[in-house]
Amino acid sequence: MRIIVADHYEELCKLSANIVKKHVQEKKDAVLGLATGSTPVGLYKQLISDYQSGEIDFSKVTTFNLDEYAGLSPSHPQSYNHFMHEYLFQHINMQPGHIHIPQGDNPQLEAECKVYEDLIRRAGGIDIQILGIGANGHIGFNEPGSDFEDRTRIVKLSESTIQANARFFGGDPVLVPRLAISMGIQTILEFSRHIVLLASGEEKADAIQKMAEGPVTTDVPASILQKHHLVTVIADQKAAQKLKIETYS
Ligand code: GLP
């Protein structure tokens, strides 16, 4: 695991965008795994700006998002589908058919999970998977206790995640769906050739320390990333402040 400590959030965004940009410049039909949450918003902003200045072309790129709330239609303002269009897709030249996000309102949710997993496999896996991290160490919506062998599946959100994500639902936790579809940990580990995890702010400091320096345990789902062959963590100083080993760049 390579850990880069960025001076501030803007640098984190720039560094992560450069990784994506360089890869897409070299491989026009790259497959990107994308994440939601506040953290990657600045990365997407930078990618939009790189697209506008002609440095990156998304016309052949394929994307797979990590997760989606169960029960929300793609057009629901709080759905991750809506989020991705608002913060990225509507501003760049992605082909709509190349965008993949689990369909949260599919009445056949189990089948949706299986189809999603198959789509990633048929795309040949993911070149760069962007991840955020929950304050409780979750990745995607793989909450503490999730099995490391899990594939794309229906998950139950933890109370702390419901509280943390209530800010996107007008601050009312009652409005946050209790279930979601998420790529499983095994899906992420097996299909991603390079994982880029982003973390910003002191509320992520414990999770980052446990992820990078703690034991590999299902109590901290992100700790399994210690076992992946190519992980780049980009954390700003606040998120990195509890790391003990001082050899990070
Ligand atoms: C949600 C998403 C995760 C994301 C996490 C952290 O729960 N499912 O993929 O990493 O939020 O979000 P934020 O970046 O807003 O802290």
Side-chain angles (χ1 to χ4, degrees):
M1 180 178 288
R2 176 173 181 226
I3 301 185
I4 301 171
V5 181
D7 286 342
H8 39 65
Y9 179 68
E10 289 68 33
E11 191 187 357
L12 174 158
C13 299
K14 193 100 195 158
L15 290 170
S16 52
N18 282 347
I19 294 175
V20 174
K21 185 170 70 177
K22 193 164 173 287
H23 188 79
V24 175
Q25 284 170 343
E26 281 165 10
K27 188 182 178 203
K28 292 213 164 308
D29 60 348
V31 181
L32 303 178
L34 300 178
T36 50
S38 326
T39 314
V41 168
L43 155 66
Y44 298 151
K45 230 177 171 173
Q46 184 61 48
L47 290 176
I48 293 165
S49 151
D50 292 343
Y51 163 70
Q52 287 168 343
S53 58
E55 292 174 69
I56 183 165
D57 169 20
F58 289 93
S59 62
K60 294 194 169 64
V61 168
T62 295
T63 62
F64 287 93
N65 262 77
L66 277 170
D67 47 16
E68 177 61 286
Y69 290 112
L72 301 193
S73 72
S75 61
H76 189 287
Q78 271 76 43
S79 72
Y80 282 164
N81 195 308
H82 188 273
F83 176 102
M84 288 308 301
H85 281 84
E86 181 176 347
Y87 288 106
L88 183 64
F89 297 142
Q90 69 180 13
H91 308 285
I92 58 175
N93 64 335
M94 284 283 305
Q95 289 192 41
H98 289 179
I99 295 170
H100 302 91
I101 302 173
Q103 194 191 323
D105 65 345
N106 185 335
Q108 310 289 330
L109 274 188
E110 298 272 6
E112 176 69 21
C113 297
K114 202 180 166 303
V115 167
Y116 201 69
E117 184 85 17
D118 286 347
L119 281 171
I120 305 172
R121 183 174 289 110
R122 292 215 313 261
I126 292 169
D127 292 308
I128 299 178
Q129 174 66 58
I130 304 295
L131 291 181
I133 186 167
N136 63 2
H138 76 236
I139 47 175
F141 267 136
N142 295 288
E143 298 281 23
S146 297
D147 213 305
F148 290 151
E149 274 82 49
D150 279 333
R151 295 280 174 181
T152 302
R153 70 202 195 292
I154 303 164
V155 293
K156 196 168 171 291
L157 304 195
S158 72
E159 199 45 46
S160 66
T161 298
I162 290 168
Q163 295 294 337
N165 290 2
R167 68 189 194 280
F168 295 111
F169 291 79
D172 188 353
V174 173
L175 299 178
V176 182
R178 268 44 192 166
L179 299 178
I181 293 181
S182 180
M183 280 189 205
I185 292 179
Q186 183 64 22
T187 314
I188 296 169
L189 290 179
E190 189 185 309
F191 286 145
S192 310
R193 285 181 277 279
H194 184 183
I195 293 174
V196 178
L197 184 141
L198 309 177
S200 169
E202 61 188 338
E203 62 281 10
K204 301 295 172 66
D206 278 322
I208 288 296
Q209 194 278 327
K210 288 180 186 159
M211 172 202 69
E213 300 176 342
V216 175
T217 162
T218 54
D219 292 344
V220 183
S223 64
I224 190 65
L225 299 178
Q226 293 176 28
K227 304 280 184 203
H228 189 274
H229 63 282
L230 185 54
V231 177
T232 305
V233 175
I234 309 179
D236 64 14
Q237 282 182 358
K238 287 183 177 161
Q241 65 184 303
K242 293 195 175 164
L243 289 170
K244 297 189 175 71
I245 302 164
E246 287 178 2
T247 52
Y248 306 119
S249 48

